[in-house]
Amino acid sequence: MSTQQAEPESQEAPEDPEMKGAESPQERRLDDKDDGMVDEHAEKEAELEGATVLIKVFRYDPEVEGKQEPRFDDFHIPFEKGMTVLDAVMYARDEYDSSLTFRHSCRQAVCGSDAFFVNGRQRLGCKTQISDLEQPVRIEPLPHQEVVKDLVVDMDHFYDQMHTVEPYFQDEDTPETSALEEQRQSPENREKIKMSSRCIWCGACMSSCNIAAGDNEYLGPAAINKAYKFAMDDREDEQIKEHRLRILEQEHGVWRCQTQFSCTEVCPKDIPLTEHIQELKREAVKKNLKFW
């Protein structure tokens, strides 16, 4: 009989967080914190129940005389439980002013089309609860981008920067179609690039970046993160990785980042953008190191 089997039954084995149903102390602390946030959110919603919320919405229409001067319009919105910023803006459009213009689509924080500047911070309208905000709720278009109308900004430059890094999988060694096999990825490599793949192209990070605001050629955190996703994928061969790094280490690439973490702070998908940029800097340095 082994020593372990001879131990008294009353002696408890050490906690194993990996065991099914087990919960580590850290997880319990996080759960307690989440419970506290839920309770606080519920209290705020209860306070607002039956009340109206004042939202101040940025308005601008270059094609209509009398609306070419930017201004803010006030809307009093009846509060409902679970109301988001997008819900409030949609109510203002549907009930008060049908000319109010903004982008939205999935309403599930997936499409990235409804990024606004809410109370001085880049946020997704469909993900931001009205009850979590100070009133009046001030809703503006994303900063550092040309306003087309009301809350709609021109995203062409943002998309151009994203496409600059060639955001698609490439493999110079892909065999003929008849000999194609599944390109497998290790769990460890998938875990490494998992967060970078969550980008929804909302533009919030680019809007928050002071470097991008002053340098129109800077690739920006979103594009660099997209390049990270492919450059760190083990299924892409070394030649293509070096090609990506050459794009990223240009004058207006990763080296323009000043590590201010503003992009990371506003990302609605919690992507560690600044960390990814720093890791790509290290990769670029290692590529250029020569020993002789």
Side-chain angles (χ1 to χ4, degrees):
M1 181 178 291
S2 68
T3 304
Q4 183 178 3
Q5 292 172 323
E7 289 177 351
E9 292 183 359
S10 60
Q11 182 174 347
E12 295 182 359
E15 282 192 346
D16 183 4
E18 298 298 324
M19 291 175 57
K20 183 178 181 180
E23 188 179 49
S24 70
Q26 182 181 9
E27 289 173 330
R28 286 196 293 271
R29 288 195 298 271
L30 289 173
D31 288 343
D32 292 342
K33 182 179 178 182
D34 290 342
D35 290 342
M37 292 175 64
V38 170
D39 292 341
E40 183 179 353
H41 178 77
E43 290 177 3
K44 290 182 178 179
E45 284 201 326
E47 292 175 2
L48 289 171
E49 190 172 356
T52 59
V53 177
L54 173 61
I55 63 173
K56 304 177 76 67
V57 183
F58 180 89
R59 306 301 303 275
Y60 167 72
D61 189 343
E63 298 182 354
V64 177
E65 188 175 354
K67 296 184 178 180
Q68 298 172 347
E69 188 69 25
R71 69 184 191 280
F72 282 88
D73 284 353
D74 292 351
F75 299 97
H76 294 272
I77 311 297
F79 178 78
E80 294 183 359
K81 184 177 180 180
M83 176 175 280
T84 64
V85 169
L86 180 59
D87 291 331
V89 175
M90 291 178 67
Y91 187 96
R93 178 199 61 190
D94 296 343
E95 300 296 330
Y96 298 128
D97 187 350
S98 61
S99 70
L100 178 57
T101 305
F102 52 93
R103 292 189 179 107
H104 69 92
S105 183
C106 75
R107 302 181 66 180
Q108 299 181 63
V110 174
C111 70
S113 60
D114 64 332
F116 305 134
F117 195 57
V118 182
N119 282 6
R121 181 186 177 92
Q122 288 82 358
R123 310 173 193 260
L124 281 187
C126 63
K127 188 180 180 181
T128 306
Q129 294 284 313
I130 285 289
S131 57
D132 291 339
L133 301 171
E134 295 292 331
Q135 291 193 49
V137 179
R138 188 182 177 98
I139 307 170
E140 305 171 70
L142 292 178
H144 307 149
Q145 301 188 51
E146 182 182 353
V147 178
V148 178
K149 181 182 178 183
D150 294 340
L151 300 176
V152 175
V153 297
D154 187 347
M155 297 288 287
D156 286 348
H157 176 66
F158 173 79
Y159 296 142
D160 288 342
Q161 297 301 80
M162 293 292 280
H163 289 296
T164 297
V165 300
E166 301 176 10
Y168 43 84
F169 189 71
Q170 302 178 56
D171 189 347
E172 293 290 345
D173 298 327
T174 300
E176 295 296 329
T177 305
S178 59
L180 282 178
E181 295 182 0
E182 180 183 4
Q183 292 181 294
R184 297 183 179 180
Q185 183 181 30
S186 69
E188 294 78 15
N189 185 237
R190 172 58 188 168
E191 189 67 23
K192 180 179 180 63
I193 67 171
K194 178 177 67 176
M195 292 301 293
S196 63
S197 66
R198 299 179 65 180
C199 177
I200 55 176
W201 295 47
C202 67
C205 61
M206 191 79 157
S207 170
S208 73
C209 179
N210 292 327
I211 306 305
D215 181 359
N216 201 45
E217 295 184 54
Y218 175 45
L219 289 175
I224 295 175
N225 171 75
K226 185 60 67 174
Y228 175 95
K229 175 185 182 296
F230 292 98
M232 296 301 174
D233 193 316
D234 287 346
R235 294 170 295 178
E236 198 165 68
D237 61 52
E238 286 300 316
Q239 289 185 343
I240 296 298
K241 181 175 180 178
E242 289 183 8
H243 170 67
R244 290 193 192 281
L245 289 176
R246 283 196 295 271
I247 295 174
L248 295 170
E249 66 182 3
Q250 60 173 295
E251 180 183 355
H252 301 281
V254 293
W255 301 109
R256 291 288 287 125
C257 174
Q258 295 183 359
T259 324
Q260 297 176 350
F261 285 91
S262 59
C263 56
T264 301
E265 290 177 359
V266 303
C267 178
K269 307 305 286 187
D270 300 321
I271 303 172
L273 296 161
T274 309
E275 294 180 19
H276 289 171
I277 295 173
Q278 302 315 304
E279 186 169 354
L280 286 170
K281 287 181 181 179
R282 292 192 291 270
E283 288 295 315
V285 169
K286 287 191 292 184
K287 181 179 74 68
N288 290 316
L289 282 177
K290 296 180 180 179
F291 299 94
W292 59 85

